[in-house]
């Protein structure tokens, strides 16, 4: 059928693109390489799926460090409140948690996928699973997608929403980059983003599994403060992870390609130095006849105590009542400026998203249509847009997918 739209990719952006196009009355064929839809969605948010963020819509752009202006039309066409309304209307109640993060009430990402799948069925979208697209081309004004079994699918419009390179086990293997290049598009170098980071210090790796809540992290590039935020981090066998560090990786990624960066962690950010000193003196007074290593259980997690003591340079066997003012200052420094040297970012296997992709200069931001090939549209992670943690990356997927689907559908009947 000449008015049929093909959507390549059954992830968040692809499913939403298919929904939007079908709502406009077009017949839509959705091709997905996996045996089920939304495979990457299923594992997002540790299986809970952080659908979007309930912040004011204009604040979304503050969480998009690169190419935010490109997304104005997409986000305001299908904003975070329309996303929440969409899932509510499709039988998936949502809840808002700390930091405006929105999740399904059930805490099951499978419910988000079910809501989208039900919408696709109601709208009559044809879905072909287990269909890996091997090539795409345009002949005689029609797009032709061939799968690896030799079957061909033709349509007047093609929406590429095949994802980036993060979590390749979910089917994000970068095929869409090759398809985009075939139509003359430039690909900004794809890199892992929102990923855990490597650390140099052995004591960091020895703390594997220890999670710290309510700490403040600061990363410097020379004298310039590159990143600072408050939240939760996790020590791993290779370095650091957790929400705070994933967000930091998005900011530090470029520089870590060529140099190491110092990270300092304030283990007691709620206390300034004077308050912290009073707290330490109070603890010391209560434990004045004990050894230093046995006087810190109320101040630090037990696994962290020997590391902080070593950084302070104070003998762990020294009696508390013998600790000098200078030693106490070194101890406070270790608490307020716990040092870690970042050496790199983990790979695509663990990265939440891909940074880079189809150059936004070659895509019309008002429609998501290619500026190089009429009838070709892009959506989601395939584009060179990415955001910080908190539901903002899925919002980009929903917004660009919806705008691409709506635009592709509205183009029928107009002069090509």
């Amino acid at each position: 059928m000449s008015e049929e739209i093909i959507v390549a990719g059954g992830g968040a952006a692809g499913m939403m693109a298919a929904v939007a196009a079908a709502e406009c009355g077009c017949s839509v064929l959705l091709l997905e390489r996996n045996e089920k839809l939304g495979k990457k969605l299923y594992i997002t948010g540790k299986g809970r799926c952080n659908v979007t963020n309930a912040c004011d819509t204009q604040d979304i752009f503050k969480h998009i460090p690169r190419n935010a202006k490109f997304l104005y039309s997409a986000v305001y066409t299908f904003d975070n409140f329309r996303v929440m309304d969409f899932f509510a209307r499709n039988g998936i109640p949502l809840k808002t948690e700390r930091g405006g993060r929105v999740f399904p009430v059930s805490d099951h990402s499978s419910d988000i996928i079910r809501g989208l799948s039900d919408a696709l069925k109601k709208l009559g979208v044809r879905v072909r699973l287990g269909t890996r697209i091997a090539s795409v081309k345009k002949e005689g004004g029609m797009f032709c997608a061939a799968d690896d079994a030799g079957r061909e699918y033709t349509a007047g419009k093609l929406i590429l929403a095949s994802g980036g390179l993060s979590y390749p086990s979910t089917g994000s293997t970068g095929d869409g980059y090759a398809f985009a290049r075939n139509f003359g598009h430039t690909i900004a170098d794809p890199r892992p983003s929102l990923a855990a980071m490597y650390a140099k210090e052995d004591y960091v790796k020895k703390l594997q599994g220890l999670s710290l809540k309510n700490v403040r992290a600061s990363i410097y590039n020379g004298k310039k403060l590159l990143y600072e935020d408050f939240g939760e981090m996790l020590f791993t066998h290779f370095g650091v992870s957790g929400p705070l560090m994933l967000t930091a990786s998005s900011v530090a990624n470029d520089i870590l390609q060529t140099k190491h960066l110092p990270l300092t962690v304030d283990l007691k950010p709620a206390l300034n130095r004077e308050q912290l000193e009073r707290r330490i003196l109070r603890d010391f007074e209560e434990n004045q006849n004990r050894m230093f290593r046995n006087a810190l259980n109320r101040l630090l997690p037990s696994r962290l105590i020997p590391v902080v003591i070593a950084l302070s340079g104070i003998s762990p066997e020294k009696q508390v009542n013998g600790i000098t003012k200078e030693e106490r200052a070194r101890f406070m420094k270790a608490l307020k400026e716990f040092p870690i040297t970042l050496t790199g970012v983990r790979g695509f296997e663990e990265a939440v998203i891909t940074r880079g992709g189809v150059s936004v200069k070659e895509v019309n931001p008002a429609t998501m249509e290619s500026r190089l090939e009429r009838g070709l549209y892009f959506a989601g992670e395939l584009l060179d847009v990415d955001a910080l943690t908190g539901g903002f990356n899925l919002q980009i997927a929903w917004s660009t997918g919806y705008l691409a689907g709506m635009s592709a559908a509205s183009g029928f009947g107009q002069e090509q």
Side-chain angles (χ1 to χ4, degrees), residues 282-299 305 309 314-323:
R282 187 172 69 246
D283 285 2
F284 280 8
E285 187 173 343
E286 293 175 359
N287 296 276
Q288 56 183 309
N289 294 319
R290 305 184 73 178
M291 287 189 292
F292 186 37
R293 69 184 182 191
N294 296 326
L296 304 175
N297 290 329
R298 292 173 57 184
L299 193 65
I305 290 173
I309 288 177
I314 305 171
S315 170
E317 284 78 30
K318 188 168 187 175
Q319 276 198 321
V320 168
N321 59 14
I323 292 176

Side-chain angles (χ1 to χ4, degrees), residues 320-369:
V320 168
N321 59 14
I323 292 176
T324 67
K325 183 176 181 180
E326 181 184 4
E327 288 174 327
R328 195 168 65 243
R330 294 204 307 267
F331 177 54
M332 283 198 298
K333 181 178 174 64
L335 292 174
K336 298 295 283 184
E337 301 175 33
F338 186 86
I340 298 172
T341 304
L342 302 174
T343 61
V345 178
R346 295 280 277 184
F348 286 113
E349 293 77 11
E350 300 175 17
V352 176
I353 56 163
T354 303
R355 174 183 169 180
V358 176
S359 172
V360 297
K361 295 177 181 178
E362 299 165 357
V363 179
N364 184 342
T367 61
M368 296 295 120
E369 185 176 20

